[in-house]
Amino acid sequence: MSIIKIENLKKKFGDFTALDGISMNIEKGEVYGFIGPNGAGKTTTTRVMLGMYRATDGKAEIFGKDCWEDSVEIHKNIAFVPGDVNLWPGLTGGEVIDFLMHLNGANDRKRREEYIKRFDLDVSKKCKKYSKGNRQKVALVSAFSLDADLYILDEPTSGLDPLMEKTFQECVAEEKAKGKTILLSSHILSEVESLCDRISIIRKGKIIETGSLDSMRHLTRNNIRLVSDIPKERFNGITGVYDLKFENGVYNFQIDASETNNILKLLNGYEIKNIEITPLSLEELFMHFYNEEQ
């Protein structure tokens, strides 16, 4: 069952095209990663989903409802966390959480207290005294205190320390186990790597790749660490070898995944003391896409 369905979505601001025909289909129970650099179109996509922007062309639906025409109805079953949280300075954190829960018709005090404790938030402070990380905690507690069907999280851990990032990841995993759907837009690629079932990479308003982490790694490269007596000259002219380095008797390089067998054949007849073949990390994968012109 599709929770979010986006087809050929376009959004223009005057002559500037922020989104240029993107498509996504997010199923119930998925944690879906949405990554890209600043200005790529992640936040614009999120705002179209939330009914804040009207699409110039194409379709954006949540729960089978139009994101612009039916935004009020959609919001009854979603929770949203922005990357840059602005709060009412004269209210305490607890008052903001209560207000946001009230807007959604929620009143689960036990759940509220659980997340306040887990995120170690002092809810008695006025929001004007909060650091960026504490403002982010208010938004996260408010979101997870709702029993939402869909969580839209746009850079949700911005400003959090590593311990709170771990707490956030645990919360996401728990909601996924309950069958909830989560759209996670993040630049913390280890976070996306550990949480997401599928990923879309957006660049200059276009989605350039979508798939599982394994399938996307398969399309790119492997890292090789090799200790062998093979002469460095044997790698000259070999297709699919990149960034070859030889230091202290150790080769380090990258190869196209499709060329792995050919590299192993090349090593036939030479002593191999050690070889490690690992897929690119998501961070390396991300940089590979954005360091090349598409």
Side-chain angles (χ1 to χ4, degrees):
M1 175 184 175
S2 294
I3 299 297
I4 297 175
K5 189 172 186 178
I6 294 176
E7 294 181 353
N8 197 32
L9 184 67
K10 297 180 182 180
K11 178 60 183 174
K12 291 186 176 183
F13 298 97
D15 294 330
F16 175 69
T17 301
L19 299 175
D20 192 8
I22 70 168
S23 296
M24 287 193 296
N25 193 58
I26 303 176
E27 300 295 320
K28 178 177 172 58
E30 271 196 303
V31 180
Y32 195 98
F34 194 38
I35 64 174
N38 290 336
K42 302 190 304 298
T43 298
T44 301
T45 305
T46 301
R47 289 178 176 174
V48 170
M49 291 181 190
L50 293 170
M52 299 168 68
Y53 293 159
R54 188 172 193 169
T56 304
D57 198 6
K59 179 192 292 185
E61 293 181 347
I62 294 178
F63 309 129
K65 299 178 174 65
D66 183 87
C67 289
W68 179 259
E69 300 291 343
D70 303 312
S71 61
V72 174
E73 190 66 24
I74 289 170
H75 275 250
K76 293 177 182 179
N77 296 296
I78 67 174
F80 171 60
V81 175
D84 189 12
V85 176
N86 293 305
L87 303 174
W88 295 271
L91 298 181
T92 66
E95 288 169 339
V96 170
I97 293 167
D98 289 341
F99 175 62
L100 293 175
M101 289 180 67
H102 177 72
L103 285 178
N104 279 73
N107 191 32
D108 190 335
R109 307 299 293 180
K110 182 179 179 181
R111 185 172 173 128
R112 172 190 184 273
E113 295 305 314
E114 175 193 345
Y115 285 107
I116 288 171
K117 183 176 180 179
R118 291 179 72 172
F119 282 101
D120 191 25
L121 177 64
D122 182 353
V123 295
S124 66
K125 280 187 177 181
K126 297 282 188 183
C127 292
K128 63 184 176 183
K129 295 183 179 180
Y130 277 146
S131 64
K132 176 174 175 52
N134 280 325
R135 293 197 302 272
Q136 205 68 30
K137 288 181 184 182
V138 171
L140 286 167
V141 170
S142 300
F144 285 121
S145 293
L146 304 176
D147 188 23
D149 293 321
L150 170 65
Y151 295 86
I152 298 177
L153 311 175
D154 186 5
E155 304 287 353
T157 57
S158 177
L160 295 187
D161 62 42
L163 182 62
M164 290 297 103
E165 286 180 17
K166 185 175 186 298
T167 298
F168 164 78
Q169 293 181 21
E170 291 169 353
C171 293
V172 169
E174 290 164 9
E175 293 308 310
K176 174 180 167 58
K178 297 174 186 174
K180 303 304 178 68
T181 307
I182 297 155
L183 174 64
L184 174 61
S185 173
S186 179
H187 70 279
I188 303 175
L189 301 174
S190 60
E191 184 172 83
V192 176
E193 187 173 17
S194 64
L195 292 174
C196 295
D197 301 302
R198 288 191 297 145
I199 301 160
S200 283
I201 298 177
I202 186 169
R203 181 180 190 268
K204 296 182 179 179
K206 294 183 178 181
I207 291 179
I208 59 174
E209 189 64 48
T210 294
S212 68
L213 183 59
D214 285 340
S215 69
M216 294 173 73
R217 281 173 171 159
H218 174 72
L219 295 173
T220 55
R221 300 174 184 170
N222 287 323
N223 286 314
I224 305 288
R225 184 183 184 276
L226 171 68
V227 181
S228 173
D229 62 356
I230 185 172
K232 188 176 181 180
E233 294 75 22
R234 289 288 286 123
F235 291 98
N236 292 342
I238 300 298
T239 302
V241 174
Y242 307 91
D243 301 327
L244 179 68
K245 296 181 178 66
F246 181 69
E247 295 178 358
N248 301 320
V250 179
Y251 289 99
N252 283 283
F253 56 95
Q254 292 182 357
I255 60 169
D256 289 329
S258 59
E259 298 295 327
T260 303
N261 284 338
N262 290 335
I263 291 296
L264 294 177
K265 289 177 183 177
L266 180 70
L267 295 172
N268 188 34
Y270 295 97
E271 181 183 6
I272 300 175
K273 296 179 180 178
N274 186 46
I275 184 169
E276 299 174 13
I277 304 175
T278 56
L280 295 177
S281 69
L282 186 56
E283 183 171 6
E284 289 168 318
L285 173 63
F286 178 82
M287 293 306 297
H288 171 54
F289 273 108
Y290 288 99
N291 282 337
E292 295 182 4
E293 289 298 320
Q294 300 292 329

